Amino acid sequence: MPPTEVLVPLRWSDMDAYGHVNNVQFLRLLEDARVLGLPRWFPQGGYLLDQGIVVARHEIEYLAPMDYRSEPIAVDLWVTRIGGAAFDLGYVVRDAAGPDRAAPGAADVGVTTATVYAVAETSMALYDFAAAGPRRMTRGERMALDAQRGESVPFRRRR
Amino acid sequence: MPPTEVLVPLRWSDMDAYGHVNNVQFLRLLEDARVLGLPRWFPQGGYLLDQGIVVARHEIEYLAPMDYRSEPIAVDLWVTRIGGAAFDLGYVVRDAAGPDRAAPGAADVGVTTATVYAVAETSMALYDFAAAGPRRMTRGERMALDAQRGESVPFRRRR
Amino acid sequence: MPPTEVLVPLRWSDMDAYGHVNNVQFLRLLEDARVLGLPRWFPQGGYLLDQGIVVARHEIEYLAPMDYRSEPIAVDLWVTRIGGAAFDLGYVVRDAAGPDRAAPGAADVGVTTATVYAVAETSMALYDFAAAGPRRMTRGERMALDAQRGESVPFRRRR
Amino acid sequence: MPPTEVLVPLRWSDMDAYGHVNNVQFLRLLEDARVLGLPRWFPQGGYLLDQGIVVARHEIEYLAPMDYRSEPIAVDLWVTRIGGAAFDLGYVVRDAAGPDRAAPGAADVGVTTATVYAVAETSMALYDFAAAGPRRMTRGERMALDAQRGESVPFRRRR
């Protein structure tokens, strides 16, 4: 299963005093990529977001400065690990494909010149808000996440 | 050298719809911890922030939900690695010490009941804005950073 | 000339601890409405944003609580006043039209059940960044803005 | 009763791509001025924030560009109007007094050279979250607010 492509709009205010999209705002973009993308993995509803998941960990590498543009950027979203009460998400933050963002004819041959701005990974812990504690993954959740499993995040600088 | 303690005020808007400080805002707090804390390491001025440093990588683990309070939280800030053109910072995000945040008598014996909310690490790359490229660390910068060197960040879930 | 309709995406983080879009974030949405909408009024480029405009004043009334949704909201944008070195913009923040946001058949008869969340007005001052001071509106700018002129903002509580 | 002075810390991220504190962030500063300042008017607790108040209207004029600084700015906060189920707050956003922000000897003679960055007014409506509707002001609330009543906000450009 290829990653899920989520288009995430930028805001002018994502830029900081250096005139580029601020490094913290990248995490904000990933948040919206999850909010927009995860429901697609649970088309029959009742998915885990309703029951509660919390962010337990983030890791992100910045590869290129991102400038503000009025068109959305693309975030590839997939599952990198599934545990008993947690799972990890991988992300690639890149230019969305489009006639103005690739060389002429590139799309025809599956080639893209899109810039990759960041790669990242988030650990999500399943949470039971009612019981105020962690909870086990259900069989249905595991099956839905397993269908989205992909490769490790291509970090360059992981310690 | 013990870590530098930086007091960082919260904002009411750091809370998200779940009523806790949002996970992305923790990175915002670390940003201000750097802005407030790094200049103290370069008391004679001319420190590296003037010349340009950019964030190359973040890693953060969330250990406890943080509630909004009108008093600042404390961020311990230190150096975990020094390279030729980069360095890593470690952080512990915790309650600031204070009579209302520790058991009676605790301060007298050096014991604190402060909650640790997160541990994190940031890789900073030295940058030459004029040349629009990376630059080597100067001898003075290295000496100043070396004086702040400490242990590894106590991550629990590092992949 | 009817107002320019600008579609502005929400972010999950626009919600505050009360679970609604935060009142300050409404101003953030207006910012993006300007960034996305004003260039449409200057299709030949060279428009005033390039030369510098600054916000001199905001006035906003909140009419209904807005919930987060993954679809954009609509901002109607028009000109309410033109001065020698400044102009005012009017806004209506409302649900975007759509089959799921209006009663059956409503669109056929031009009726909409869209909620209006806020009305607002911003005074923009023309600014010369190079000279670090105000500047006069050009004839071309005046003509472009004059084509977008509309009625006063329907404030209810203006003092 | 003179206005209540509330010290509000800035964040580095309050700056936008123009390198000044962003106009929308001024409203964010006013939010924290309310959160920090209003409880002081209700020293015995049980004050209206517990019961619910919502922002119904903002008006703000920008008078000078504000640069980021590590020290807090000052917000003067007072009551400009009291209604049956609502009240208005006035604000002046200015440099905090201090030895480095006034001419030598100025403090001795009550003179300050502090810059005023903005003046603003917010209408707050009393809200009953349980009943999901407006509510009347209590006698105790009215007395507490009446003690903070001051002059009109010195707007220059009110329409």
Side-chain angles (χ1 to χ4, degrees):
Chain A
M1 175 76 71
T4 297
E5 180 190 69
V6 186
L7 297 179
V8 181
L10 298 181
R11 286 189 174 166
W12 186 84
S13 55
D14 289 332
M15 286 187 289
D16 62 21
Y18 293 125
H20 300 297
V21 173
N22 176 264
N23 67 84
V24 179
Q25 290 307 97
F26 274 71
L27 279 294
R28 192 60 77 202
L29 301 175
L30 301 186
E31 179 177 74
D32 265 24
R34 292 193 305 275
V35 169
L36 297 170
L38 284 183
R40 297 191 211 162
W41 297 352
F42 299 83
Q44 285 133 14
Y47 64 92
L48 43 82
L49 278 176
D50 289 340
Q51 305 230 23
I53 47 178
V54 296
V55 169
R57 182 180 177 277
H58 285 305
E59 183 174 353
I60 183 167
E61 277 183 20
Y62 301 93
L63 303 177
M66 186 192 287
D67 291 324
Y68 171 75
R69 80 283 309 265
S70 55
E71 306 86 44
I73 52 97
V75 178
D76 291 322
L77 186 69
W78 74 96
V79 172
T80 58
R81 193 185 65 90
I82 302 177
F87 62 99
D88 289 0
L89 294 169
Y91 317 82
V92 169
V93 182
R94 59 175 174 77
D95 286 330
D100 58 335
R101 295 201 173 276
D108 300 338
V109 295
V111 172
T112 171
T113 60
T115 298
V116 172
Y117 298 102
V119 292
E121 190 174 63
T122 298
S123 299
M124 308 293 298
L126 302 190
Y127 195 77
D128 183 332
F129 280 117
R135 69 176 176 82
R136 303 285 302 171
M137 192 175 291
T138 66
R139 180 178 167 81
E141 287 169 344
R142 180 176 300 272
M143 286 179 63
L145 291 173
D146 204 54
Q148 307 298 332
R149 197 193 283 260
E151 300 189 358
S152 297
V153 177
F155 285 118
R156 300 179 187 179
R157 304 191 194 95
R158 180 166 270 184
R159 301 279 169 250
Chain B
M1 176 76 70
T4 296
E5 181 190 67
V6 186
L7 297 179
V8 180
L10 298 182
R11 285 188 175 169
W12 186 85
S13 55
D14 289 331
M15 286 187 288
D16 62 20
Y18 293 126
H20 300 297
V21 172
N22 177 263
N23 68 85
V24 179
Q25 290 305 98
F26 273 72
L27 280 294
R28 191 61 75 201
L29 301 175
L30 300 186
E31 180 177 73
D32 264 25
R34 292 193 305 275
V35 170
L36 297 170
L38 284 182
R40 297 190 211 161
W41 297 350
F42 299 84
Q44 285 133 17
Y47 65 94
L48 41 85
L49 279 176
D50 290 340
Q51 306 229 23
I53 47 177
V54 296
V55 170
R57 181 180 177 279
H58 285 304
E59 184 176 353
I60 184 168
E61 277 183 20
Y62 301 93
L63 303 177
M66 185 192 287
D67 292 324
Y68 170 75
R69 79 285 307 262
S70 54
E71 308 84 44
I73 53 98
V75 178
D76 291 322
L77 186 69
W78 74 97
V79 172
T80 58
R81 194 186 65 89
I82 301 177
F87 62 99
D88 290 358
L89 294 169
Y91 316 82
V92 169
V93 182
R94 60 174 172 78
D95 287 329
D100 58 336
R101 295 203 174 274
D108 300 337
V109 294
V111 172
T112 171
T113 59
T115 298
V116 172
Y117 298 102
V119 292
E121 190 174 63
T122 298
S123 298
M124 308 294 298
L126 302 189
Y127 195 77
D128 184 332
F129 281 117
R135 69 176 178 82
R136 303 285 305 171
M137 191 176 291
T138 67
R139 181 181 167 80
E141 287 170 343
R142 180 177 300 272
M143 286 179 63
L145 291 174
D146 204 54
Q148 307 298 332
R149 198 193 282 261
E151 301 190 358
S152 297
V153 177
F155 286 118
R156 300 179 186 180
R157 305 190 193 93
R158 180 164 269 184
R159 300 279 168 247
Chain C
M1 176 75 70
T4 296
E5 181 190 68
V6 186
L7 297 179
V8 181
L10 298 181
R11 285 189 175 167
W12 186 84
S13 55
D14 289 332
M15 286 187 288
D16 62 20
Y18 293 126
H20 299 297
V21 172
N22 176 263
N23 68 85
V24 179
Q25 291 304 98
F26 274 72
L27 280 295
R28 192 60 76 201
L29 301 175
L30 301 186
E31 179 177 74
D32 265 25
R34 292 193 304 276
V35 169
L36 297 170
L38 284 182
R40 297 191 210 160
W41 298 350
F42 299 84
Q44 285 133 16
Y47 64 95
L48 42 84
L49 279 177
D50 289 340
Q51 306 230 22
I53 47 177
V54 296
V55 169
R57 181 181 177 277
H58 286 304
E59 184 175 353
I60 183 167
E61 277 183 20
Y62 301 93
L63 304 177
M66 185 191 287
D67 291 325
Y68 170 75
R69 80 284 308 263
S70 54
E71 308 86 44
I73 53 97
V75 177
D76 291 322
L77 187 69
W78 74 97
V79 172
T80 58
R81 194 185 64 90
I82 301 177
F87 63 98
D88 290 357
L89 294 169
Y91 317 81
V92 169
V93 182
R94 59 174 172 79
D95 287 329
D100 58 336
R101 294 202 175 277
D108 300 337
V109 295
V111 172
T112 172
T113 59
T115 298
V116 172
Y117 298 102
V119 292
E121 191 174 62
T122 298
S123 299
M124 309 293 298
L126 302 189
Y127 195 77
D128 184 333
F129 281 117
R135 69 176 178 81
R136 302 286 304 170
M137 192 176 291
T138 68
R139 181 180 168 80
E141 288 170 342
R142 180 178 298 274
M143 286 179 63
L145 290 174
D146 205 53
Q148 307 298 332
R149 197 194 281 261
E151 300 189 358
S152 297
V153 177
F155 285 118
R156 300 179 186 179
R157 305 190 194 94
R158 181 165 268 183
R159 301 280 171 248
Chain D
M1 175 76 70
T4 296
E5 181 190 67
V6 185
L7 297 178
V8 181
L10 298 182
R11 286 189 175 166
W12 186 85
S13 55
D14 289 332
M15 286 187 288
D16 62 21
Y18 293 125
H20 300 298
V21 173
N22 176 263
N23 67 85
V24 179
Q25 290 307 97
F26 274 71
L27 280 293
R28 192 60 76 202
L29 301 175
L30 301 186
E31 179 178 74
D32 264 25
R34 291 194 304 276
V35 169
L36 297 170
L38 284 182
R40 296 191 211 161
W41 296 352
F42 298 84
Q44 286 133 15
Y47 64 93
L48 42 82
L49 277 177
D50 290 340
Q51 306 231 22
I53 47 177
V54 296
V55 169
R57 182 180 177 277
H58 285 305
E59 184 175 353
I60 183 166
E61 277 183 20
Y62 301 93
L63 303 177
M66 185 192 288
D67 291 324
Y68 171 75
R69 80 283 308 264
S70 55
E71 307 85 45
I73 53 97
V75 178
D76 290 321
L77 186 70
W78 74 96
V79 173
T80 58
R81 194 186 64 90
I82 302 177
F87 62 98
D88 290 358
L89 294 169
Y91 317 81
V92 169
V93 182
R94 58 174 174 77
D95 286 331
D100 58 337
R101 295 202 174 275
D108 301 338
V109 295
V111 171
T112 172
T113 60
T115 298
V116 172
Y117 298 102
V119 292
E121 190 174 62
T122 298
S123 299
M124 308 293 298
L126 303 190
Y127 195 78
D128 183 332
F129 280 117
R135 70 176 176 82
R136 303 284 306 170
M137 191 175 291
T138 66
R139 180 179 167 81
E141 288 169 344
R142 179 177 300 273
M143 287 179 62
L145 291 174
D146 204 54
Q148 307 298 332
R149 197 193 283 261
E151 299 189 0
S152 298
V153 177
F155 286 119
R156 301 178 186 180
R157 305 191 195 94
R158 180 165 270 185
R159 301 279 170 251

